[in-house]
């Protein structure tokens, strides 16, 4: 054990290492935030409050099992999207894939913002 400790170099903390850590932390935070935001949608899908129910679901409240399926589908969608994104990155490269994803996100956000 003492011989292994002598060979180890101290880790030099650089700005790049700090940026990588912050970026990874923010990615985890955003994934958790997105997964947690499904709670707001579940309030409308459960049909327990008549003022907050989605149109057309007034008489079809989701059961507990159906609510679990909705929440699980968010995580499954994230997994499948990451696999698909990996294939796109392998084929087209990282920058075009990220740029395309950003454009799709902006278009989707604009569409939701303009929806009535």
């Amino acid at each position: 054990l003492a011989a292994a400790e002598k060979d180890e170099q101290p880790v030099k903390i650089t700005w790049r290492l700090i940026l990588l850590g912050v970026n990874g932390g923010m990615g985890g935070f955003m994934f958790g935030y997105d997964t947690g935001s499904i709670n707001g949608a579940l309030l409308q899908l459960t049909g327990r409050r008549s003022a907050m129910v989605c149109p057309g679901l007034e008489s079809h409240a989701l059961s507990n099992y159906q609510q679990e399926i909705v929440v699980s589908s968010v995580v499954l969608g994230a997994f499948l999207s990451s696999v698909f994104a990996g294939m796109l990155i392998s084929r087209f490269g990282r920058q075009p894939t990220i740029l395309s994803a950003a454009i799709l996100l902006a278009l989707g956000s604009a569409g939701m913002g303009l929806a009535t």
Side-chain angles (χ1 to χ4, degrees), residues 78-94 97:
F79 170 72
L80 294 176
S81 297
S82 66
V83 171
F84 183 66
M87 291 188 297
L88 289 176
I89 287 172
S90 295
R91 182 174 176 128
F92 300 110
R94 191 176 47 204
T97 303

